[in-house]
Amino acid sequence: MKQSLRDTLENLTVRLDELNRTLAGEDAARDMDRYRGWAREHAEIEPIVALYGEWRKAEADYGAAREMMADPELKALAEDEAESARTRADALENELQTALLPKDEDDARNVFLEIRAGTGGDESALFAGSLFRMYARFAERRRWSVEVVSASESELGGYREIVARVAGNDVYSKLKFESGGHRVQRVPETEAQGRIHTSACTVAVMPEADKLEEVRIAPADIRIDTFRASGAGGQHINKTDSAVRITHLPTGIVVECQDGRSQHQNKARALAVLAARIDDARSRERRAKIASERKSLIGSGDRSERIRTYNFPQGRVTDHRINLTLYRIDAIMDGDLDEIVAALASEYQAEQLAALSADSSDSAA
């Protein structure tokens, strides 16, 4: 194990001891905000220190086995024990490196999911509907809630644009790699000749701001317009101006919301989406600066980047960022995204570990 990693783990061990004493103190709960902070830090550090303890034991076992090799009668047994201890120590070291990777502070947040039809006309809108159903089924499997914030339906079905709030445990951590261009290749229902068409949609996954105030939207920077909400194909049409359109003047971002029952509810929802979009724009700007120095294997997350192809005639789904192809498109479109999500997360971790090793090598030089 590198000395820098070991020093970090030793410091965490000392810090855990400090936290144990602090939390056991009589005055620990006097300030509940500080107490919750200590408890949260303790919960983060404790499993890492426990892993470090296992690694130290494996290293001690390896050292003891090496000493036993000096005895000819015990050499064969000692070699087996040394190999077992070495393998265990190496595996634990890899776990420790992964555990120490920087945490994404947004991972636990709820998200706003935006799907927009792109090239392909009506077929693109139908594909947008298919994608929304895919994510809704994935959310259902994980017991997340899905609330449609706004939707612009297509005449033939599907959506020209749909925005939904997805809430639950660790939503952003599972969906954050879905932002980008999604392409479909299939024979549309409206195609009489049976020809395969290619169309596309863009998906954006934005973490919900914890508080609207975090984004600091100045009242002077927005214009709020109200209008009558309406639906497609004979749906109820409101007789009051309950729909809300908010324009963020500095960025030009426009948000509409008309699915709520009142103007107040629509305004609150629209402001929440606006905050998430502004925060997302700032995050993408930060990521772009980082990506200019080191290209991430997962991609920039830019909405124009083609990340995945859904080929129905061949029954396959291909994620181009990690060269993953799965031949079970029906299950995936029904929300079985676990394998794709896990593969993307693993590749991202591998890239982080490689970057960490490169930084350590540069520092050593």
Side-chain angles (χ1 to χ4, degrees):
M1 179 182 290
K2 292 180 180 178
Q3 189 60 44
S4 59
L5 179 59
R6 192 161 189 164
D7 289 343
T8 298
L9 292 166
E10 289 290 345
N11 291 336
L12 287 178
T13 302
V14 172
R15 178 57 180 162
L16 184 63
D17 288 339
E18 293 175 353
L19 287 170
N20 283 331
R21 290 193 299 270
T22 300
L23 290 169
E26 295 181 1
D27 298 332
R30 183 169 295 177
D31 185 333
M32 288 307 298
D33 286 337
R34 285 203 304 172
Y35 182 84
R36 281 190 288 268
W38 290 328
R40 186 163 50 247
E41 185 182 0
H42 186 279
E44 292 174 356
I45 293 176
E46 188 177 33
I48 299 175
V49 173
L51 270 179
Y52 182 45
E54 291 182 41
W55 178 85
R56 286 189 297 186
K57 184 179 183 306
E59 283 290 300
D61 291 345
Y62 176 73
R66 293 280 296 177
E67 291 179 4
M68 288 171 56
M69 288 182 191
D71 187 336
E73 295 183 2
L74 299 175
K75 185 176 181 181
L77 176 63
E79 285 178 346
D80 289 342
E81 289 188 3
E83 182 179 355
S84 176
R86 181 77 275 152
T87 299
R88 190 165 68 254
D90 289 344
L92 287 166
E93 183 175 344
N94 289 333
E95 285 188 54
L96 283 166
Q97 287 181 332
T98 300
L100 287 172
L101 288 175
K103 301 293 188 297
D104 189 335
E105 62 183 16
D106 292 331
D107 275 352
R109 295 192 181 190
N110 302 325
V111 306
F112 286 104
L113 170 69
E114 292 186 355
I115 304 174
R116 288 190 176 86
T119 57
D122 290 331
E123 170 61 11
S124 178
L126 290 170
F127 179 46
S130 298
L131 285 177
F132 177 68
R133 180 183 181 278
M134 178 183 78
Y135 291 124
R137 291 285 290 118
F138 180 63
E140 182 182 328
R141 290 166 182 258
R142 293 185 166 273
R143 302 185 185 279
W144 296 339
S145 66
V146 179
E147 175 189 8
V148 174
V149 175
S150 66
S152 174
E153 299 177 12
S154 169
E155 293 180 359
L156 296 181
Y159 302 98
R160 287 186 288 272
E161 175 184 317
I162 183 167
V163 181
R165 179 178 181 266
V166 186
N169 293 326
D170 301 321
V171 178
Y172 185 69
S173 71
K174 302 299 182 185
L175 292 180
K176 62 183 177 182
F177 299 126
E178 293 302 302
S179 292
H182 293 243
R183 183 177 68 172
V184 64
Q185 295 171 325
R186 63 184 177 186
V187 179
E189 296 178 7
T190 55
E191 171 56 58
Q193 303 295 325
R195 292 173 298 186
I196 297 173
H197 285 224
T198 299
S199 55
C201 291
T202 57
V203 173
V205 177
M206 302 169 295
E208 181 181 37
D210 283 342
K211 296 178 181 177
L212 190 61
E213 291 78 17
E214 287 183 359
V215 182
R216 296 178 184 175
I217 302 175
D221 288 342
I222 60 175
R223 185 179 71 242
I224 301 177
D225 300 308
T226 58
F227 57 98
R228 292 186 180 181
S230 62
Q235 291 183 6
H236 171 70
I237 299 177
N238 289 344
K239 296 182 179 180
T240 59
D241 291 347
S242 63
V244 173
R245 179 187 299 113
I246 300 179
T247 304
H248 188 242
L249 302 175
T251 62
I253 296 174
V254 179
V255 177
E256 289 186 4
C257 187
Q258 58 177 321
D259 282 28
R261 296 182 178 180
S262 68
Q263 185 182 116
H264 177 75
Q265 189 179 50
N266 282 327
K267 180 181 176 182
R269 287 179 173 180
L271 281 170
V273 175
L274 178 62
R277 286 187 182 176
I278 293 172
D279 192 45
D280 178 60
R282 292 172 182 170
S283 297
R284 285 188 286 116
E285 185 178 349
R286 289 194 300 270
R287 288 196 298 269
K289 290 179 180 178
I290 296 172
S292 66
E293 299 175 3
R294 181 183 287 117
K295 170 85 172 154
S296 170
L297 290 177
I298 300 302
S300 66
D302 187 272
R303 300 181 194 184
S304 63
E305 179 183 12
R306 188 191 71 184
I307 63 170
R308 193 175 298 150
T309 295
Y310 305 76
N311 187 302
F312 279 81
Q314 296 180 14
R316 66 173 171 83
V317 175
T318 298
D319 196 290
H320 304 289
R321 296 163 294 180
I322 55 176
N323 295 320
L324 173 69
T325 297
L326 301 174
Y327 287 90
R328 49 188 194 86
I329 194 168
D330 289 339
I332 290 170
M333 297 308 296
D334 193 44
D336 188 1
L337 294 172
D338 289 331
E339 188 172 357
I340 294 176
V341 167
L344 287 164
S346 296
E347 200 73 27
Y348 182 63
Q349 279 191 348
E351 170 68 5
Q352 283 185 302
L353 287 170
L356 194 63
S357 298
D359 289 342
S360 298
S361 299
D362 292 342
S363 298

